[in-house]
Amino acid sequence: MSDIQGNVSKNIPLPNFRTKTLFIKPAPSILLRVRSKDVLSLISFSLLGLVVFLFSISSGSYEISMLKSFKILFSVGNPAQDASKIIWDLRMPRLLAAILCGSALAIAGVVLQSITRNALASPGLIGVEAGASVTLLLFIVALPNIVSSFWLPFSAMIGGVSVALFIYFLSSFGRFLPIRLILVGVGISSILSAISDLLITYGDIDRVESALLWLGGSLHQVDWPQIKVMWLWFAVAAPLIWLLFRELNLLALGDSIAISRGVSNKIIVPVLLICSVILTSASVATVGTLTFVGLMAPHIARQFCGNRHGVLIPLSALVGSVLVLLGDTIGRLLFAPLQLPAGLVIVLFGSPYFIYLIIRLNRQQAT
């Protein structure tokens, strides 16, 4: 079956481009329709990400030229030991974390917006961010020394997954409804946010400060073991979501159309939700909350490829990685040597876009 161009919501306009269409068969049972404009968009964002990556890895309090950084990355010649240590031990882990976490949150955002058919859905909707945040605050502020710092990210991941499964369980009484998932998710997330505020207000100031740095979406403490864990979860969940792009196309058109085409909501929706929960929880456990990435990246990608998930998923991943790379780079360099968390920078730039998105949706509904 070819990739079907569907509309997630009447609120999301799709561009109508007349470009050359290519049919690619990446697997025996998969036929992907790709326009020449889609290929150009994928290449453009890949090159943009590469430029930002090279600029970021060569910039900082210890200046390293791009040429020297390139030689260190590809082991050309005999680079200086100090420069090599800075790149491989300090800068490379945080940049890889930015790429992986940005891509993961963007893909999770695509899944949730398609399943719920809500243009404003984001990974935080299913309670993963709130669950991970409360778990971390609990072990850092209220119950210190019970869990070692090495296991804190795993604890946060378990908390996020548990809350997301609980929300899905509550929203599945009778039969699964996207609007019920949204309402239950908002309610549970609000309760967990209140618990977080309580822990922050009455916790030890030193411990709260350490926790708030993580909650702000800071990447400066990421190390190689965390990258390996994040890559493992990403490699499991992201390809599976992409392989289900045809089912996402049908689900975006509505439950009745999806069922008529043989898509079982009771099987596909839980699988997609679990994969999005895995991606979100792994990202939050690695770098903290990056709220607007899962909301903005899919909408930006749709401006270039419409709502055909075979292209939308990888393009959203590229956009998400570029957003987090830019946020981390700006946060490191804007007030150097003071470092702003990438999550804070993304929120500062994402809030105006969020307001613009709401205004545009209201205007479309009015017409």
Side-chain angles (χ1 to χ4, degrees):
M1 184 185 298
S2 63
D3 196 4
I4 300 173
Q5 183 173 356
N7 193 351
V8 171
S9 170
K10 294 180 180 179
N11 297 326
I12 303 176
L14 300 181
N16 185 19
F17 299 114
R18 294 183 178 180
T19 55
K20 184 178 179 180
T21 301
L22 304 175
F23 291 92
I24 301 175
K25 200 169 185 179
S29 60
I30 296 177
L31 185 63
L32 178 64
R33 188 181 69 182
V34 181
R35 301 173 306 182
S36 57
K37 187 176 182 65
D38 300 331
V39 176
L40 180 61
S41 299
L42 290 168
I43 295 175
S44 299
F45 276 99
S46 298
L47 293 176
L48 177 60
L50 179 61
V51 170
V52 176
F53 176 86
L54 291 176
F55 174 76
S56 182
I57 204 170
S58 61
S59 303
S61 56
Y62 187 94
E63 291 291 341
I64 305 173
S65 66
M66 286 193 180
L67 179 59
K68 191 174 183 179
S69 300
F70 179 84
K71 292 180 178 180
I72 292 174
L73 289 175
F74 294 95
S75 300
V76 179
N78 296 313
Q81 185 175 2
D82 292 340
S84 179
K85 184 176 179 62
I86 288 173
I87 285 181
W88 285 108
D89 294 346
L90 299 178
R91 294 180 184 176
M92 182 63 78
R94 70 185 297 164
L95 294 182
L96 290 179
I99 294 172
L100 289 173
C101 294
S103 300
L105 291 172
I107 295 174
V110 170
V111 171
L112 292 174
Q113 290 174 10
S114 300
I115 289 177
T116 62
R117 293 183 288 281
N118 188 324
L120 300 179
S122 66
L125 180 72
I126 53 178
V128 176
E129 293 181 355
S133 301
V134 169
T135 304
L136 183 89
L137 286 172
L138 182 66
F139 285 121
I140 291 181
V141 177
L143 301 172
N145 302 324
I146 291 183
V147 177
S148 65
S149 58
F150 176 80
W151 293 105
L152 279 177
F154 296 96
S155 303
M157 184 184 297
I158 292 173
V161 171
S162 300
V163 171
L165 292 177
F166 180 65
I167 290 175
Y168 178 75
F169 174 77
L170 292 179
S171 63
S172 299
F173 281 114
R175 67 187 183 93
F176 175 80
L177 294 174
I179 186 63
R180 189 183 298 165
L181 176 69
I182 296 173
L183 295 176
V184 174
V186 169
I188 298 297
S189 297
S190 299
I191 295 173
L192 294 175
S193 296
I195 297 175
S196 297
D197 293 339
L198 184 65
L199 292 171
I200 291 173
T201 302
Y202 295 100
D204 180 78
I205 186 63
D206 294 331
R207 296 169 185 164
V208 169
E209 183 179 359
S210 176
L212 288 177
L213 184 63
W214 179 85
L215 292 175
S218 176
L219 282 73
H220 83 280
Q221 293 182 336
V222 178
D223 54 18
W224 283 110
Q226 290 176 289
I227 295 298
K228 293 177 181 178
V229 174
M230 179 66 207
W231 167 249
L232 174 64
W233 290 113
F234 184 86
V236 170
L240 180 58
I241 290 176
W242 185 83
L243 290 174
L244 296 174
F245 70 86
R246 294 172 296 178
E247 286 76 6
L248 278 168
N249 287 333
L250 293 170
L251 288 172
L253 296 174
D255 292 338
S256 58
I257 295 178
I259 293 173
S260 68
R261 295 289 183 137
V263 176
S264 175
N265 288 8
K266 294 183 179 180
I267 298 176
I268 297 300
V269 171
V271 170
L272 289 170
L273 283 176
I274 289 174
C275 289
S276 65
V277 166
I278 289 174
L279 292 176
T280 305
S281 59
S283 174
V284 173
T286 303
V287 301
T289 55
L290 299 170
T291 306
F292 279 97
V293 176
L295 174 64
M296 290 192 301
H299 284 286
I300 295 174
R302 284 191 183 95
Q303 303 305 312
F304 297 91
C305 70
N307 200 45
R308 294 167 298 108
H309 289 80
V311 179
L312 178 61
I313 291 172
L315 185 58
S316 296
L318 288 173
V319 174
S321 64
V322 170
L323 287 176
V324 182
L325 278 173
L326 283 172
D328 181 57
T329 304
I330 294 173
R332 284 197 301 117
L333 303 179
L334 189 60
F335 298 108
L338 176 66
Q339 295 190 21
L340 296 178
L344 176 61
V345 176
I346 294 173
V347 168
L348 290 176
F349 288 96
S351 297
Y353 179 82
F354 183 73
I355 296 172
Y356 159 76
L357 181 62
I358 292 177
I359 294 174
R360 190 184 71 174
L361 295 178
N362 289 336
R363 287 178 178 175
Q364 291 173 355
Q365 288 177 349
T367 57

